Amino acid sequence: MAKARAHSSKRTTHHLLLAVSLSVCVLLPLLLPAAATAAVAVAEGDGEIKSALGAGRQWVTGKDEVNLVAEGDTARVGSVEEDEFAGGFGSLDSMLQWAIGNSDPEKLKEEAADVQKLSADELLKRRQEIKELMEKLKMPSDADLMKIAIADLKNSSISLEDRQRALQELLVLVEPIDNANDLDKLGGLLPVIQELNNANEEIRTTSAWVLGTASQNNALVQNQILGYGALVRLVKMGYSTSTEEAAKALYAISALIRNNVNGQEAFHSENGGSMLQHILVSNSIDVRLQKKAVFLVTDLADFQLNSGNPQFPFLSDRLFLKSMVDMLSNFDLDLHEKVLLAIKSLLKLSSTDVEDFEFYDLEGVLLRLGVQLEDLTPEDQKEFAAEVDGLRREVQTLFQQKLKQVHS
């Protein structure tokens, strides 16, 4: 975004040189004894540049806003302390270190002597100039960057490329929970939701991704998004023929309704079960999308079991259960594991009729799967196959127990 990058590298370099020059001419003389000692030490090959304000430190290069966005993974795993000044000067101290290390000690003494001749008013004025310049060079905060991205989303005249870039920046920025909580306060949540209706598939996909990221394990943002009615559009996107769009919609839905009673009730009201059924039974659907759908089924079933809330009818629907059993016929170990976990949870639901599983020959399917796991698994997957087989035996035992209870 043009606005997000207010300083070109050429302009930033010019300002930095000016800041350094002003610092050397004005601020160093205020710390003359320590600065002169440090300068002489450097000249005499002391090996370490000593700060005019304290102990020795090392110079580190800074990052501009573009790199901060590109390196979002680092920002997600912990708090990153922002540089106080642009161009990598983490503090006035570090700027002084750089200035000392790159100055002629004799010239430095001469300039210090000249500045000492300035009046108190002149020194105060120079200090104010430095302060104002430092404020201009200060790195923008996350809130500042979010405001810029949000402003771009609200601008109907920007290009699709800039709109996509704004969404991608928000995707990184909303990962920290505090930033996610600020998204609606800054007026950004509704514009992101509105992009779900964009004619461009990539824009819709990234918008869903942002919503999923912001609402991950965040009840406040979950309820805000649900309040704006975004779930209706996300469920429709789950039917998309684009695997990427449907996957990101499913990701957002999963994040929105996880451990959220209101979200799960809204999902049921919007006939989300039919969307899941569509994904599970279609032969043309990418298996990666089916795995996400199965994972969501398990999540919903487990929440019903642990919360004691009324159970959703679609989880015990006969055709729905059939689609789960049928998926065990596809030879994909990861898919098998996820489906077995889902069936295990579904079998525990009081609303599930175990005879429906019997009708669709779950017992026979599990036996055939056991043979497959033993005889057809590639050598490099034997260990994982053994784990899946252990899960298969658990499901088989649970099924037999449930069936015995019914028939006794």
Side-chain angles (χ1 to χ4, degrees), residues 55-73:
R57 296 183 187 172
Q58 292 183 333
W59 160 256
V60 266
T61 58
K63 298 183 176 71
D64 59 21
E65 187 239 334
V66 179
N67 290 335
L68 284 175
V69 173
E71 296 176 9
D73 287 342

Side-chain angles (χ1 to χ4, degrees), residues 272-346:
S274 295
M275 182 267 293
L276 289 177
Q277 176 80 352
H278 165 76
I279 293 173
L280 295 176
V281 302
S282 177
N283 293 326
S284 61
I285 296 290
D286 191 301
V287 69
R288 293 171 298 175
L289 184 57
Q290 291 180 325
K291 290 176 184 178
K292 291 179 183 294
V294 172
F295 184 82
L296 178 54
V297 169
T298 307
D299 200 45
L300 289 170
D302 286 344
F303 183 77
Q304 299 301 308
L305 285 169
N306 297 326
S307 66
N309 290 318
Q311 295 164 13
F312 300 131
F314 77 86
L315 289 176
S316 54
D317 179 81
R318 290 190 71 183
L319 291 178
F320 187 81
L321 298 179
K322 178 182 184 301
S323 65
M324 299 299 295
V325 175
D326 289 345
M327 293 187 78
L328 290 174
S329 300
N330 301 325
F331 195 74
D332 182 308
L333 284 177
D334 188 44
L335 179 62
H336 288 161
E337 181 187 42
K338 287 178 170 56
V339 173
L340 287 169
L341 286 169
I343 292 177
K344 181 180 176 181
S345 295
L346 290 170

Side-chain angles (χ1 to χ4, degrees), residues 16-151:
L16 285 173
L17 290 174
L18 178 58
V20 171
S21 177
L22 287 170
S23 299
V24 172
C25 294
V26 178
L27 298 177
L28 279 179
L30 301 178
L31 303 161
L32 185 57
T37 301
V40 171
V42 172
E44 294 177 353
D46 197 16
E48 181 181 18
I49 299 176
K50 297 291 182 179
S51 167
L53 301 179
R57 296 183 187 172
Q58 292 183 333
W59 160 256
V60 266
T61 58
K63 298 183 176 71
D64 59 21
E65 187 239 334
V66 179
N67 290 335
L68 284 175
V69 173
E71 296 176 9
D73 287 342
T74 303
R76 298 172 202 174
V77 296
S79 60
V80 176
E81 186 177 348
E82 295 181 58
D83 285 345
E84 186 179 351
F85 306 115
F89 292 117
S91 66
L92 180 58
D93 190 11
S94 62
M95 179 181 286
L96 292 175
Q97 293 174 51
W98 186 91
I100 294 169
N102 291 271
S103 299
D104 184 328
E106 292 304 319
K107 252 185 186 178
L108 186 60
K109 289 179 182 179
E110 292 174 9
E111 291 174 353
D114 290 340
V115 173
Q116 283 183 322
K117 297 175 183 177
L118 295 175
S119 68
D121 288 342
E122 288 174 321
L123 281 174
L124 186 61
K125 181 181 178 182
R126 298 285 285 275
R127 287 196 200 100
Q128 186 61 33
E129 290 173 354
I130 290 289
K131 183 178 178 181
E132 290 174 0
L133 180 57
M134 292 304 98
E135 284 299 318
K136 290 179 181 178
L137 293 176
K138 192 173 183 179
M139 288 294 290
S141 66
D142 281 2
D144 293 331
L145 296 175
M146 289 173 70
K147 288 175 183 176
I148 293 170
I150 291 166

Side-chain angles (χ1 to χ4, degrees), residues 141-210:
S141 66
D142 281 2
D144 293 331
L145 296 175
M146 289 173 70
K147 288 175 183 176
I148 293 170
I150 291 166
D152 278 355
L153 289 182
K154 291 180 177 180
N155 183 354
S156 59
S157 64
I158 67 168
S159 66
L160 280 176
E161 182 182 1
D162 283 342
R163 191 169 295 277
Q164 173 68 359
R165 187 180 295 116
L167 287 168
Q168 288 173 332
E169 290 178 355
L170 283 177
L171 179 63
V172 174
L173 289 164
V174 299
E175 285 216 353
I177 190 168
D178 289 340
N179 289 354
N181 290 342
D182 286 342
L183 184 58
D184 196 39
K185 294 178 187 175
L186 297 173
L189 193 52
L190 192 55
V192 173
I193 291 172
Q194 290 171 340
E195 294 300 337
L196 295 175
N197 296 304
N198 197 293
N200 182 273
E201 177 191 313
E202 189 177 11
I203 297 292
R204 295 194 304 270
T205 300
T206 309
S207 299
W209 197 357
V210 172

